[in-house]
């Protein structure tokens, strides 16, 4: 269901009724001494301000999403309701997703929402690891960017609530020349480090797969993304790069989790 398209249609229909009432029907009622508008106008024109406000906020400012899977644990949990900043990566026209105002580009370490390249009706959320031109290598469950290894700080093992198994828990940090952004990730050492890809994807020739992982050069206008729950994430390692046109926005705030209210707040 294209909710943005539904809101656009409702905004247009109720907006036409709202304008018609202001210019035509309201003066007629006033001349006839009638205070109450007809029922059909109550259910169209009266709802226009609310519907338009929701459409505008959701299309250009902030859009809510619910986390459906554990691919971003420990940063985001299943059931988190998050807010996504829609204008961070530029202002886009709703429905057609055409960028009309250039602003910022994704930065390494951003948690981004995007339309899944293999099915653009589905929204995905992952962490941006590589920008256009970067060489990203994930070998033996160790990450490098342009030949430089990410810093890694071990923490006590983490109970992954999705599989109810313990995972290796550590803080990963980009090299300083690549932003120095830090975030938490999980690894399951008992799982193989090899990447097995079944389907070809655009610019697949930019990637080299081995028994221990994958190395990719990010093409122009694309991004390499990964989930923080490394062994429970289908991401750029498997299905390829995210085109710039598929970006929806930057996730930044958990506004509700019905199972754990302590989850509410900003995240990195």
């Amino acid at each position: 269901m294209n909710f943005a398209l539904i809101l656009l249609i409702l905004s247009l229909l109720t907006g036409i009724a709202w304008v018609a009432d202001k210019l035509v029907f309201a003066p007629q009622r006033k001349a006839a001494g009638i205070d109450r508008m007809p029922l059909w106008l109550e259910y169209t024109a009266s709802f226009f301000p609310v519907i338009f406000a929701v459409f505008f906020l959701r299309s250009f400012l902030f859009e809510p999403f619910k986390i459906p899977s554990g691919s971003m644990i420990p940063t985001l949990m299943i059931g988190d309701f998050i807010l996504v900043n829609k204008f961070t990566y530029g202002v886009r026209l709703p429905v057609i997703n055409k960028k009309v105002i250039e602003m910022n580009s994704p930065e390494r370490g951003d948690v981004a929402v995007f339309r899944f390249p293999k099915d653009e009706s589905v929204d995905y959320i992952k962490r941006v690891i590589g920008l256009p031109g970067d060489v990203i290598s994930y070998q033996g469950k160790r990450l490098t960017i342009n030949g430089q290894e990410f810093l890694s700080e071990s923490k006590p093992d983490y109970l992954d609530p999705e599989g109810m198994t313990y995972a290796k828990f550590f803080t990963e940090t980009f090299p300083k020349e690549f932003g120095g952004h830090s975030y938490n990730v999980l690894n399951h050492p008992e799982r193989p480090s090899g990447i097995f890809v079944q389907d070809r994807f655009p610019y697949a020739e930019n990637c080299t797969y081995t028994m221990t992982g994958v190395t990719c050069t990010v093409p122009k206008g694309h991004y390499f993304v990964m989930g923080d729950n490394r062994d429970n994430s289908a991401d750029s390692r498997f299905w390829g790069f995210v085109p710039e046109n598929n970006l929806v926005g930057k996730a930044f705030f958990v506004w509700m989790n019905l199972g754990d209210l302590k989850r509410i707040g900003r995240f990195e």
Side-chain angles (χ1 to χ4, degrees):
M1 181 184 297
N2 192 327
F3 191 54
L5 178 60
I6 293 173
L7 282 176
L8 175 61
I9 293 172
L10 289 175
S11 295
L12 290 174
L13 293 177
T14 57
I16 291 172
W18 185 81
V19 171
D21 182 59
K22 294 296 183 182
L23 298 180
V24 179
F25 299 122
Q28 290 179 352
R29 291 196 304 274
K30 183 176 181 180
I34 300 173
D35 294 328
R36 185 174 180 178
M37 65 174 59
L39 191 62
W40 70 273
L41 273 177
E42 286 188 15
Y43 285 94
T44 53
S46 296
F47 287 113
F48 169 68
V50 175
I51 293 175
F52 180 76
V54 171
F55 172 72
F56 180 84
L57 289 172
R58 187 183 184 278
S59 298
F60 299 105
L61 299 180
F62 305 105
E63 183 173 357
F65 288 88
K66 182 181 179 181
I67 301 300
S69 74
S71 70
M72 285 298 292
I73 295 173
T75 304
L76 294 171
M77 310 298 290
I78 298 174
D80 281 349
F81 290 87
I82 64 170
L83 285 179
V84 173
N85 187 322
K86 296 293 291 287
F87 58 85
T88 297
Y89 302 144
V91 177
R92 299 175 184 269
L93 295 177
V95 181
I96 62 174
N97 205 43
K98 173 69 174 178
K99 184 185 289 187
V100 292
I101 300 177
E102 293 283 347
M103 296 185 72
N104 304 309
S105 296
E107 297 181 356
R108 300 177 184 92
D110 284 359
V111 177
V113 172
F114 53 91
R115 291 179 287 118
F116 183 41
K118 288 184 174 294
D119 181 1
E120 295 191 355
S121 66
V122 178
D123 291 314
Y124 267 33
I125 182 167
K126 304 291 180 186
R127 189 177 297 278
V128 177
I129 300 297
L131 304 184
D134 286 344
V135 178
I136 303 299
S137 184
Y138 189 71
Q139 300 287 341
K141 301 191 178 183
R142 302 291 293 183
L143 193 59
T144 63
I145 177 171
N146 296 349
Q148 298 195 45
E149 192 168 304
F150 284 57
L151 300 178
S152 180
E153 178 185 350
S154 296
K155 295 186 174 184
D157 287 356
Y158 183 94
L159 180 60
D160 187 342
E162 186 176 31
M164 293 305 296
T165 57
Y166 280 95
K168 295 299 180 182
F169 181 34
F170 56 94
T171 298
E172 192 170 76
T173 304
F174 279 88
K176 288 185 178 180
E177 52 267 51
F178 298 106
H181 189 93
S182 297
Y183 49 91
N184 295 323
V185 297
L186 300 182
N187 264 331
H188 293 264
E190 74 280 4
R191 300 187 185 179
S193 57
I195 308 295
F196 302 98
V197 178
Q198 295 181 344
D199 300 324
R200 295 283 293 178
F201 52 83
Y203 300 101
E205 65 276 9
N206 285 32
C207 295
T208 301
Y209 290 88
T210 68
M211 293 299 294
T212 58
V214 60
T215 299
C216 293
T217 300
V218 186
K220 182 180 179 180
H222 291 72
Y223 300 90
F224 190 95
V225 299
M226 295 177 69
D228 291 346
N229 194 352
R230 292 286 162 75
D231 293 307
N232 285 313
S233 174
D235 49 40
S236 288
R237 294 171 292 173
F238 299 90
W239 45 253
F241 309 100
V242 178
E244 194 276 337
N245 287 337
N246 285 48
L247 293 172
V248 173
K250 179 181 178 180
F252 71 101
F253 191 83
V254 176
W255 61 271
M256 179 57 68
N257 184 310
L258 297 176
D260 185 2
L261 296 181
K262 294 180 181 178
R263 294 283 308 153
I264 297 174
R266 293 186 64 89
F267 62 88
E268 293 293 334

